[in-house]
Amino acid sequence: MTLEIQMFQNVPSGGRWLLQPLTIFLLFALADRQTADLPKAVVKLEPPWIQVLKDDSVTLKCEGTHNPGNYSTQWLHNGSSLWSQVRPNYTFKATVNDSGEYRCRLEQNVLSDPVQLEVIADWLLLQTPQLVFEEGETIILRCHSWKSRPLNRITLYQNGKAVKYRRFNCSFSISKANHSHSGDYHCTGFLGERREVSRSLTITVQGSADATVISLLWYHVTFCLVMFLLFAVDTGLYFYLRRNLQTPVEDWRKSLSVKKRQAPEGK
Ligand SMILES: *[C@@H]1O[C@H](CO)[C@@H](O)[C@H](O)[C@H]1NC(C)=O
Ligand SMILES: *[C@@H]1O[C@H](CO)[C@@H](O)[C@H](O)[C@H]1NC(C)=O
Ligand SMILES: *[C@@H]1O[C@H](CO)[C@@H](O)[C@H](O)[C@H]1NC(C)=O
Ligand SMILES: *[C@@H]1O[C@H](CO)[C@@H](O)[C@H](O)[C@H]1NC(C)=O
Ligand SMILES: *[C@@H]1O[C@H](CO)[C@@H](O)[C@H](O)[C@H]1NC(C)=O
Ligand SMILES: *[C@@H]1O[C@H](CO)[C@@H](O)[C@H](O)[C@H]1NC(C)=O
């Protein structure tokens, strides 16, 4: 990048306009690095489910750097401070009003990204730690009953089609997920003799992180190539124009000096 800037600075007038987008691009890259240097707190859910049933016990954990012995923590729920919570572990029995967005901050840390928790009043709930998975990851789902009442004959449905059945175990895992595993999921199960149906949730499986990195790299390579091409064309054009514009002037100067030299001889 420094090399490119030096190249641009050596270009008189013609290539200057190219410097501006490049500078903006560099500033963005620098700003990116600076925010990445500050430690950011992270909210973790325990158990990891982002949807829970009413009366489930939920623990929110705030992780990040802190002074030894000082666990002073700030919790935010829907943007408002929870003044009574000053510990990094925040455990509660869920009510519907506990739904919403949680953020935390340990001393010295930047406020965490938000974590969404949804508390649902129902008999049955299909739980997951996240809604978006990368290709190749393992999708974990759990068919959970209110107050963990004994559940049996559990079926997992994807887009309305039964895909897995368990006599007693209510956990499902799909290893090496690919795009075909994206879709709407729900579960059914028997509480005694009564069949209950969970609401559905939408799972998305997206291209792997490697693909993202590679596409980002290609974006940068293409960007540099285009910049170089523009620079080359522009510089070429500049020198071409300069030569063509100066030719008549130089011809005139040459003819003038010839005349001057010839003048005394002509006398
Ligand atoms: C938070 O919970 C974990 C276990 O779940 C425990 O090891 C840790 O000591 C707790 N931290 C505090 C500050 O209570
Ligand atoms: C939830 O919030 C609403 C409105 O703020 C309130 O009326 C209700 O009593 C709350 N419910 C519980 C279980 O705290
Ligand atoms: C927080 O927001 C969620 C939805 O955005 C809402 O269901 C919940 O009742 C809110 N709770 C409080 C205490 O504001
Ligand atoms: C712990 O850190 C907080 C926030 O930086 C500070 O206000 C508090 O005084 C510290 N407590 C102790 C005991 O050092
Ligand atoms: C239930 O199924 C999960 C995932 O399929 C498995 O890891 C777990 O060991 C099973 N539990 C029992 C008690 O069989
Ligand atoms: C996705 O995974 C399933 C089994 O888990 C496999 O049968 C299918 O061929 C895979 N599809 C692709 C496009 O890789």
Side-chain angles (χ1 to χ4, degrees), residues 14-174:
R16 280 281 161 80
W17 64 273
L18 274 177
L19 202 59
Q20 215 163 348
L22 193 74
T23 314
I24 291 167
F25 172 76
L26 270 173
L27 282 177
F28 269 117
L30 281 174
D32 253 15
R33 285 210 45 179
Q34 274 174 359
T35 41
D37 285 346
L38 291 165
K40 198 180 219 178
V42 177
V43 177
K44 291 260 170 75
L45 280 164
E46 249 186 45
W49 320 119
I50 56 173
Q51 322 87 339
V52 298
L53 285 173
K54 191 167 91 59
D55 297 329
D56 279 349
S57 172
V58 175
T59 299
L60 297 173
K61 284 191 168 184
C62 190
E63 293 181 356
T65 54
H66 54 82
N67 282 328
N70 191 346
Y71 293 97
S72 166
T73 310
Q74 184 192 3
W75 284 102
L76 294 167
H77 179 207
N78 290 353
S80 313
S81 263
L82 295 167
W83 296 112
S84 57
Q85 296 305 323
V86 294
R87 308 283 298 167
N89 292 7
Y90 171 28
T91 302
F92 55 90
K93 194 170 146 189
T95 69
V96 172
N97 287 355
D98 292 323
S99 292
E101 178 191 284
Y102 288 87
R103 286 168 183 259
C104 77
R105 180 183 1 234
L106 282 163
E107 50 146 18
Q108 303 169 341
N109 285 225
V110 176
L111 198 63
S112 72
D113 288 330
V115 161
Q116 298 285 340
L117 180 71
E118 201 179 349
V119 184
I120 292 151
D122 207 344
W123 286 100
L124 210 57
L125 176 67
L126 187 62
Q127 296 177 300
T128 177
Q130 64 212 60
L131 294 174
V132 177
F133 291 84
E134 300 289 342
E135 226 167 49
E137 281 187 328
T138 299
I139 300 174
I140 294 168
L141 299 166
R142 179 192 187 220
C143 195
H144 172 52
S145 54
W146 185 49
K147 295 194 168 177
S148 296
R149 289 178 182 202
L151 191 64
N152 62 76
R153 287 174 279 162
I154 305 134
T155 310
L156 178 70
Y157 292 83
Q158 181 190 5
N159 299 326
K161 221 179 88 202
V163 287
K164 282 179 196 256
Y165 173 82
R166 299 263 190 281
R167 189 77 179 85
F168 295 111
N169 191 339
C170 54
S171 297
F172 299 97
S173 68
I174 301 164

Side-chain angles (χ1 to χ4, degrees), residues 130-226:
Q130 64 212 60
L131 294 174
V132 177
F133 291 84
E134 300 289 342
E135 226 167 49
E137 281 187 328
T138 299
I139 300 174
I140 294 168
L141 299 166
R142 179 192 187 220
C143 195
H144 172 52
S145 54
W146 185 49
K147 295 194 168 177
S148 296
R149 289 178 182 202
L151 191 64
N152 62 76
R153 287 174 279 162
I154 305 134
T155 310
L156 178 70
Y157 292 83
Q158 181 190 5
N159 299 326
K161 221 179 88 202
V163 287
K164 282 179 196 256
Y165 173 82
R166 299 263 190 281
R167 189 77 179 85
F168 295 111
N169 191 339
C170 54
S171 297
F172 299 97
S173 68
I174 301 164
S175 57
K176 298 202 182 71
N178 63 37
H179 289 295
S180 72
H181 298 115
S182 291
D184 296 333
Y185 287 83
H186 76 272
C187 68
T188 63
F190 285 82
L191 287 167
E193 287 309 307
R194 202 173 69 243
R195 183 174 177 267
E196 297 291 345
V197 181
S198 79
R199 58 155 77 188
S200 85
L201 61 85
T202 304
I203 296 279
T204 307
V205 180
Q206 62 183 18
S208 67
D210 286 348
T212 317
V213 167
I214 287 167
S215 72
L216 214 75
L217 205 77
W218 269 113
Y219 168 80
H220 277 109
V221 166
T222 314
F223 180 85
C224 288
L225 269 176
V226 167

